[in-house]
């Protein structure tokens, strides 16, 4: 039995790159798409964990801007899986108080998926137990570019003085505006990179990597990540003494 982590030491917002579905399936001599289906079960494990631990926000990288270039069969299977999850899981998530949000460029997605995304967002908008954000068609560079474009349109129309553009204003036009930035970033599957995920928002996020493949993720692994996070000193550019409230 591991000691409980004090609520003040827990992350408020966890962001995850769910990597390793394909390898999980290939190791079993099964098609990659089976790995994605197993990955969908691990999503449920992760949501259960966050609800049980009182984590406020969970942001999952489900499909990157670059994933559109995967083999068409794999993209097609992922679309089917997304549609299936949106059809089958939203009721239960709503019942459990989960607010669903989607970030990313939606234009490439089939209309049925876009409609279900919009419906799920509207239906769950009032929920407060957990904000579950699914990044789909998402790229960190896309996010910064779309925020810059919105500001440029305002400036060109004379409604915004370019001199007033600062980090706060740009940040308020990014996809996760309204949520605290992620405290803890988890990447499964062994690679040590950010892969164009939340480039702006991860500026001071604590990074945690594991070799475990996403479909093998369980509550014990997530607890280990949170326990590691709880031990870290977050300085945000200050000194240790400043953080401890002592002399500067
Ligand atoms: C990365 O593994 C995973 C993806 C590109 C898809 C993630 C999708 C899911 C977990 C299922 C559905 C989830 C939601 C939230 C609807 P990979 O294919 O790159 O694995 P590999 O590195 O082993 O090839």
């Amino acid at each position: 039995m591991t000691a409980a982590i004090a609520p003040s030491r827990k992350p408020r917002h966890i962001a995850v790159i769910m990597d390793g579905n394909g390898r999980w399936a290939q190791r079993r001599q099964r098609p990659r798409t089976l790995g994605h289906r197993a990955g969908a079960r691990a999503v449920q494990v992760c949501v259960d964990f966050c609800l049980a631990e009182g984590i406020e926000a969970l942001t999952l990288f489900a499909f990157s801007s670059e994933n559109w270039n995967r083999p068409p069969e794999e993209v097609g299977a992922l679309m089917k899986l997304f549609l299936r999850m949106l059809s089958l899981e939203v009721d239960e998530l709503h019942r459990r108080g989960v607010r669903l949000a989607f970030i990313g460029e939606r234009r490439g997605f089939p209309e049925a998926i876009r409609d279900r995304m919009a419906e799920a967002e509207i239906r769950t908008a009032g929920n407060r137990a957990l904000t579950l954000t699914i990044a789909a068609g998402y790229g960190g560079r896309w996010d910064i570019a779309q925020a810059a474009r919105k500001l440029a349109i305002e400036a060109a129309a004379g409604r915004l003085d370019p001199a007033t553009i600062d980090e706060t204003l740009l940040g308020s036009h990014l996809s996760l505006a309204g949520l605290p930035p992620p405290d803890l970033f988890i990447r499964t599957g062994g690679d040590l990179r950010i892969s164009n995920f939340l480039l702006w928002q991860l500026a001071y996020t604590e990074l945690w990597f594991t070799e475990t493949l996403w479909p093998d993720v369980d509550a014990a692994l997530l607890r280990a990540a949170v326990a590691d996070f709880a031990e870290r000193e977050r300085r945000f550019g200050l000194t240790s003494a400043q953080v401890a409230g002592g002399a500067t």
Side-chain angles (χ1 to χ4, degrees), residues 115-169:
D115 288 350
R116 293 259 159 78
M117 285 175 170
E119 282 162 21
E121 284 180 328
I122 291 166
R123 182 149 173 239
T124 63
N127 293 341
R128 289 290 171 267
L130 170 72
T131 297
L132 172 60
T133 304
I134 308 293
Y138 180 84
R141 291 175 178 170
W142 166 85
D143 199 0
I144 294 167
Q146 65 81 27
R149 192 181 319 117
K150 282 182 192 156
L151 293 175
I153 289 169
E154 291 300 298
R159 290 188 292 266
L160 172 71
D161 176 0
T164 63
I165 298 175
D166 59 7
E167 292 178 19
T168 307
L169 187 63

Side-chain angles (χ1 to χ4, degrees), residues 17-26 32 35-43 60-64 67 70 74 78 81-83 85-86 102 132-135 187 189 191 213-214:
I17 293 187
M18 311 180 286
D19 201 11
N21 293 348
R23 279 166 286 165
W24 185 91
Q26 280 162 345
R32 292 175 55 82
H36 295 312
R37 291 218 296 275
R41 287 195 293 277
V43 168
L60 301 175
F61 205 2
F63 194 79
S64 73
N67 287 157
R70 289 197 174 193
E74 184 169 342
L78 275 167
L81 182 60
F82 293 156
L83 188 58
M85 286 190 83
L86 281 162
F102 298 87
L132 172 60
T133 304
I134 308 293
R187 181 177 187 142
D191 285 330
L213 303 176
W214 176 251

